[in-house]
Amino acid sequence: VQLVESGGGSVQAGGSLRLSCAATGYIYSRYCMGWFRQTTGNEREAVASIDIDGRMAYADFVNGRFHILKDSGDNAMHLEMNNLKPEDSGQYFCAAADFYCRGDLLPRDAVRDSGYWGQGTQVTVTS
């Protein structure tokens, strides 16, 4: 399985970006998928997740600005980011894991133990 992100780039504060993640290989329908990010000086953290039933979860810092969605075929996922702030700048990673999120954020350890990471895409928000 490979996860390939696209859609990163540079945008001014207040702008929007749409990240996409395409999965090659077979992603079991039971997989939880999500987006993580790593900002300068910080550990990789969960941004948003979507489980097998389509339930979404967001980190507190999202505060209603982002929206995660999956294509109907379950092998593609997107993150729509609005009202971006400079502190949102960083490397964004797509992830999938054989884990039941049950409407919660996908844990980083679950991806490490039973999942896959994309290579990351850079998001830069300028003030």
Side-chain angles (χ1 to χ4, degrees), residues 21-115:
C21 173
T24 59
Y26 186 67
I27 294 287
Y28 291 101
S29 59
R30 68 174 181 267
Y31 274 42
C32 182
M33 299 186 74
W35 289 94
F36 289 73
R37 73 181 188 185
Q38 191 157 11
T39 56
T40 303
N42 295 312
E43 294 186 344
R44 194 172 298 189
E45 60 183 350
V47 177
S49 302
I50 186 164
D51 70 11
I52 59 172
D53 298 316
R55 291 175 294 183
M56 299 164 282
Y58 298 93
D60 290 342
F61 60 76
V62 169
N63 200 22
R65 299 179 297 131
F66 299 174
H67 178 57
I68 187 170
L69 62 156
K70 284 197 303 185
D71 284 351
S72 59
D74 291 331
N75 270 31
M77 178 181 63
H78 310 280
L79 183 68
E80 297 175 343
M81 303 188 294
N82 301 301
N83 192 20
L84 284 161
K85 305 175 182 179
E87 52 264 41
D88 292 319
S89 297
Q91 193 80 352
Y92 282 70
F93 298 88
C94 171
D98 185 3
F99 184 84
Y100 288 99
C101 283
R102 296 188 176 94
D104 294 327
L105 285 170
L106 174 61
R108 189 177 58 193
D109 290 350
V111 184
R112 178 198 65 194
D113 295 340
S114 61

Side-chain angles (χ1 to χ4, degrees), residues 5-11 17 19 38-40 81 88-93 119-125:
E5 301 97 335
S6 61
S10 183
V11 65
L17 283 173
L19 306 183
Q38 191 157 11
T39 56
T40 303
M81 303 188 294
D88 292 319
S89 297
Q91 193 80 352
Y92 282 70
F93 298 88
Q119 82 287 351
T121 185
Q122 179 67 33
V123 171
T124 302
V125 185

Side-chain angles (χ1 to χ4, degrees), residues 1 3 8 12 17 23 77 110:
V1 174
L3 303 175
Q12 287 190 326
L17 283 173
M77 178 181 63

